[in-house]
Amino acid sequence: MPLDDRDYMRSPSPSFGDRVRAVTAFQWLFGLNIAVFVLQWGLKLFWVRDALTGEALYPMGGVSVDALTRGELWTPFTYMFVHGSLGHIILNMFMFWFAGKRVQQLYGQQNLLIIYVLSGLVGAALEMAICAYVLDTTAVSLIGASASVMGLLLAYAVAMPEEELTLLLFFIIPVRMRLWTLAKAVLIMNSVMGGMALFHVLPGWLSGGGGAVAYFAHIGGAVAGWYYARSLGY
C-alpha cells in the first residue's frame, strides 16, 4: 500500500472554521454585495413596499438625510452593498475586482476593509450635504458601492502610480495609460459632471439611464481613499 493511502499519512481535512478563516476580506465584501443583490432582486426580499397595494417601490438599505432623521442609523453602512439594477452592480463589481484585489495585496486585508467603509461613509456624507445645502432636498436616497470603489481605485493609484494599463476606448481602440492618469481622469470627469448636474445642464444620457448619479459621493470616496493611502506613508 502506498504511504499516501495510509490513514496516519493523510493530512487532516480543514474544518468549517478553517474554511471560514481562509476567506479573505476581498471575498467577503464581494460576496456580500452579490448576496444582497440576489436577495433583493432575485428573491424580492427587503424592499420598501406601498402600504396599500404592497407593490415593491425600491430596495431597502439606502441612506438619506430623511432616513437618518427617522433613526435608521445603519443605512450609512448598508447603502454601500445595495444596488439599483443589474448594470449597476456589474459595473461596481468589475471595478471592485480590478482595484480591490490589488489594494488587498498592497495594503492588507484590514486596510482594504477600512478604505472600503471609510470611502463609503465620506462619499455618502458629501453627497447628502450637497443635496441638503445646495439642492435643498433631504429625501434623495443613495445606494451602491461606487464611493467605496472610487476610494479603492485612488488608494491603488497612490501606491502604484506608474503601473500601465491597456484600456479599450469605445470598447474598440486599445489605449495605454498610467494608473495615476486614469485615477485623475475619473476624478476630474466626476467633478465636471457633478458641477454640470448642480447647474442642471447635464445631458440626460449622462444621468445614469434616467436615475441620478451620485457624482459627489464618488468624489468624496476618492478623496477619502487618497487621503488614507497617503496617511500610510505612500
Side-chain angles (χ1 to χ4, degrees):
M1 177 185 292
L3 286 176
D4 290 345
D5 290 340
R6 300 178 183 179
D7 291 340
Y8 59 84
M9 293 299 295
R10 294 174 184 167
S11 300
S13 299
S15 66
F16 176 75
D18 292 333
R19 291 191 179 97
V20 171
R21 284 188 289 272
V23 179
T24 67
F26 170 83
Q27 292 169 330
W28 278 116
L29 291 171
F30 189 88
L32 187 55
N33 273 280
I34 300 300
V36 170
F37 185 81
V38 170
L39 286 172
Q40 293 190 314
W41 289 92
L43 302 179
K44 291 297 180 182
L45 299 175
F46 307 111
W47 278 69
V48 175
R49 298 181 179 274
D50 186 279
L52 296 177
T53 66
E55 178 186 1
L57 301 176
Y58 51 88
M60 294 174 62
V63 64
S64 66
V65 175
D66 285 356
L68 293 175
T69 56
R70 291 195 300 267
E72 299 175 8
L73 303 182
W74 57 88
T75 54
F77 300 92
T78 58
Y79 95 92
M80 59 187 80
F81 299 98
V82 178
H83 290 86
S85 68
L86 180 61
H88 191 198
I89 191 172
I90 286 176
L91 179 60
N92 277 340
M93 291 302 98
F94 173 78
M95 291 299 297
F96 179 62
W97 188 275
F98 166 71
K101 293 181 75 174
R102 293 291 282 134
V103 167
Q104 180 168 268
Q105 293 169 352
L106 293 165
Y107 294 87
Q109 297 190 59
Q110 181 178 345
N111 286 322
L112 169 67
L113 285 170
I114 292 173
I115 294 170
Y116 186 96
V117 174
L118 177 65
S119 299
L121 293 175
V122 173
L126 181 59
E127 184 72 24
M128 288 189 294
I130 294 292
C131 287
Y133 293 106
V134 179
L135 301 179
D136 196 27
T137 177
T138 59
V140 175
S141 184
L142 180 64
I143 58 174
S146 304
S148 298
V149 170
M150 283 291 293
L152 293 171
L153 176 62
L154 265 291
Y156 178 18
V158 167
M160 304 291 290
E162 301 299 326
E163 186 167 315
E164 287 199 348
L165 310 171
T166 300
L167 307 176
L168 290 178
L169 187 63
F170 304 116
F171 301 100
I172 300 174
I173 306 171
V175 177
R176 297 286 292 176
M177 183 179 295
R178 292 168 60 242
L179 180 57
W180 185 244
T181 302
L182 171 64
K184 288 193 297 183
V186 171
L187 184 56
I188 291 170
M189 181 178 64
N190 275 278
S191 300
V192 170
M193 290 194 290
M196 294 172 66
L198 283 182
F199 292 100
H200 306 289
V201 294
L202 189 68
W205 62 276
L206 287 176
S207 64
V213 177
Y215 293 114
F216 293 100
H218 300 172
I219 295 167
V223 172
W226 170 83
Y227 182 82
Y228 186 82
R230 290 296 301 270
S231 73
L232 295 177
Y234 286 90

